[in-house]
Amino acid sequence: MPKLNYGIIGCGMMGQEHLRNIALLENAGVAAIFEPDPAMRATASAMAPKAVITGSVAELLAVEAVNCLLIASPNYLHLRQLEEIAFIRPLPVLVEKPLFTAPEDAPRLAALRVAYPAPIWVAMEYRYMPPVARLVEEAEAATGGIRMLTIREHRFPFLEKVGDWNRFNSNTGGTLVEKCCHFFDLMRHILKSDPVRVMASGGQDVNHLEEVYGGEHSDIWDNAYVIVDFASGARAMLELCMFAEGSRYQEEISAVGPLGKIECHVPGPGRFWPDHLGAPPVARVVVSPRDPKGPKMVEIPVDPQLLAAGDHNGSTFYQHQRFQRAANGGQSVEVSLDDGWWAVAMGLAAQQSAATGKAVDLSAVSYRVV
Ligand SMILES: NC(=O)c1ccc[n+]([C@@H]2O[C@H](COP(=O)([O-])OP(=O)(O)OC[C@H]3O[C@@H](n4cnc5c(N)ncnc54)[C@H](O)[C@@H]3O)[C@@H](O)[C@H]2O)c1
């Protein structure tokens, strides 16, 4: 397989997680980095000393060795940077979620989809967490066809970001877009169906209440319930709580059907688990048939080197392996622009439903482009 030489656009917390994981890949390296913040740039450069440090996206694209791209800049820049890349040098690209942040941006995606000649893969790390992948693999047999799917995330508050960009909905798309697009993507991935209706309740109740930046109060939400009806008739629910970092597990997914239930329990980042509590929890999958009864639990340990390389249970590495194959023409893109649209559209619909108190019919939204 030809060597992948990444050009990295945005190298803050997540960009650096990508650097650590690219370093573990076979036949891959980082050829160039564009990171405007001096402190982040210095850290990134120390982590990838062979990379050329550039001053703009255009300069990065001019580095001949670069043959694929990763975008890990703030959310509101993703679409415009994809457009700039399309115009200058459309290479295979892995773009962090969310793909876009505002309803009025969606039509630009349709143009991009038609014009872009190389693979665009939207980064959805949660699909590649080993316990989640195991649940997806076994769900049909364990449930006999999922009728109810629940995803619960109980975690720590939003971390501080460069320039505090994540404190405002206008930069992120809103919590149900920024954070929860992952879970809406997982719902479609697990149920193999598209959603038709979204109902939500959410708000800012505990975190960020006193936070003011440049005279503006942070408006991001820290908790929500979202109910989604799918075309298949399945129902899904998301429960998000961002003031629950005392939890043993961060993500808990359960899927139930006529034959039984399957669950997975995924711990949060090991670096946040207190030393005095001993080793961090290990992910697990539990299958609970109805007849004969008898739940069976298996632990899903993840290579410690991969766990240490990021905050996402090893998934960033597995996603890169697959992106690498797609960039080299050895497999198709698994998370397409259409998948990226759905994940954001569901998040925007949930934000709207929570704000208005009304259900949102996804076939009727103005930003529909798939
Ligand atoms: N998939 C996941 O699980 C996951 C997890 C965390 C973050 N993310 C996504 O990754 C992206 C980055 O988030 P983060 O947590 O690393 O935030 P961050 O603030 O730590 O990093 C973003 C970086 O982008 C840089 N930047 C600002 N303007 C830029 C520009 N014009 N061009 C290039 N870079 C620019 C900032 O200086 C900063 O270093 C976001 O879109 C976020 O949603 C994804």
Side-chain angles (χ1 to χ4, degrees), residues 2 52 58-59 86 120 147 161 172 369:
V52 180
E59 261 185 40
I120 301 180
R147 305 313 297 159
K161 300 288 164 186
T172 68
V369 294

Side-chain angles (χ1 to χ4, degrees), residues 17 20-21 24 270-271 302-311 313-314:
E17 173 166 330
R20 285 192 292 277
N21 282 278
L24 298 173
R271 66 187 169 113
V302 176
D303 180 342
Q305 204 182 13
L306 300 188
L307 283 180
D311 286 343
N313 207 244

Side-chain angles (χ1 to χ4, degrees), residues 302-364:
V302 176
D303 180 342
Q305 204 182 13
L306 300 188
L307 283 180
D311 286 343
H312 300 92
N313 207 244
S315 60
T316 305
F317 176 80
Y318 295 119
Q319 181 176 253
H320 270 288
Q321 278 189 321
R322 296 163 113 100
F323 170 71
Q324 193 175 19
R325 283 199 290 272
N328 281 322
Q331 72 156 77
S332 55
V333 167
E334 291 176 11
V335 192
S336 65
L337 286 179
D338 286 0
D339 295 318
W341 179 84
W342 273 111
V344 172
M346 292 170 76
L348 290 172
Q351 291 277 145
Q352 183 187 333
S353 174
T356 61
K358 296 197 169 86
V360 175
D361 172 357
L362 278 166
S363 66

Side-chain angles (χ1 to χ4, degrees), residues 247-249 265-268 270 273 277-284 299 307 313:
S247 308
R248 172 165 290 273
Y249 292 102
H265 305 265
V266 186
W273 187 254
L277 294 179
V282 175
R284 59 193 196 184
E299 289 200 329
L307 283 180
N313 207 244

Side-chain angles (χ1 to χ4, degrees), residues 152-336:
R152 181 162 96 173
E153 182 171 64
H154 279 190
R155 58 160 268 180
F156 51 92
F158 279 116
L159 299 174
E160 285 178 15
K161 300 288 164 186
V162 174
D164 304 308
W165 64 268
N166 68 345
R167 271 17 194 193
F168 294 97
N169 293 329
S170 56
N171 294 331
T172 68
T175 297
L176 301 179
V177 172
E178 143 66 10
K179 153 113 285 306
C180 300
C181 61
H182 274 300
F183 304 122
F184 297 131
D185 176 67
L186 268 191
M187 287 178 183
R188 287 183 59 247
H189 182 54
I190 294 171
L191 293 172
K192 300 177 178 49
S193 177
D194 290 329
V196 293
R197 193 175 309 106
V198 176
M199 290 150 271
S201 170
Q204 184 195 68
D205 288 335
V206 175
N207 304 334
H208 320 299
L209 295 172
E210 310 298 328
E211 291 181 18
V212 177
Y213 303 89
E216 299 269 320
H217 271 94
S218 166
D219 59 4
I220 47 168
W221 297 353
D222 56 19
N223 74 104
Y225 288 111
V226 183
I227 294 176
V228 187
D229 285 331
F230 278 79
S232 65
R235 294 176 227 293
M237 188 179 83
L238 169 69
E239 175 184 331
L240 173 74
C241 178
M242 299 189 69
F243 39 90
E245 61 270 40
S247 308
R248 172 165 290 273
Y249 292 102
Q250 182 168 293
E251 283 86 23
E252 297 185 274
I253 303 178
S254 77
V256 196
L259 299 183
K261 173 164 102 167
I262 183 165
E263 297 159 88
C264 74
H265 305 265
V266 186
R271 66 187 169 113
F272 296 151
W273 187 254
D275 288 341
H276 73 270
L277 294 179
V282 175
R284 59 193 196 184
V285 169
V286 186
V287 176
S288 309
R290 295 176 78 189
D291 185 20
K293 288 179 186 164
K296 289 186 190 62
M297 193 267 282
V298 282
E299 289 200 329
I300 315 282
V302 176
D303 180 342
Q305 204 182 13
L306 300 188
L307 283 180
D311 286 343
H312 300 92
N313 207 244
S315 60
T316 305
F317 176 80
Y318 295 119
Q319 181 176 253
H320 270 288
Q321 278 189 321
R322 296 163 113 100
F323 170 71
Q324 193 175 19
R325 283 199 290 272
N328 281 322
Q331 72 156 77
S332 55
V333 167
E334 291 176 11
V335 192
S336 65

Side-chain angles (χ1 to χ4, degrees), residues 9-15 34-37 40 72-75 77-78 81 96-98 123 125-126 161-162 165 178 182 312:
I9 298 169
C11 221
M13 191 206 80
M14 196 58 201
F34 167 46
E35 167 49 61
D37 178 70
M40 288 298 186
S73 55
N75 301 1
L77 292 170
H78 296 171
Q81 289 180 330
E96 266 302 342
K97 50 53 56 174
E125 280 80 5
Y126 287 66
K161 300 288 164 186
V162 174
W165 64 268
E178 143 66 10
H182 274 300
H312 300 92

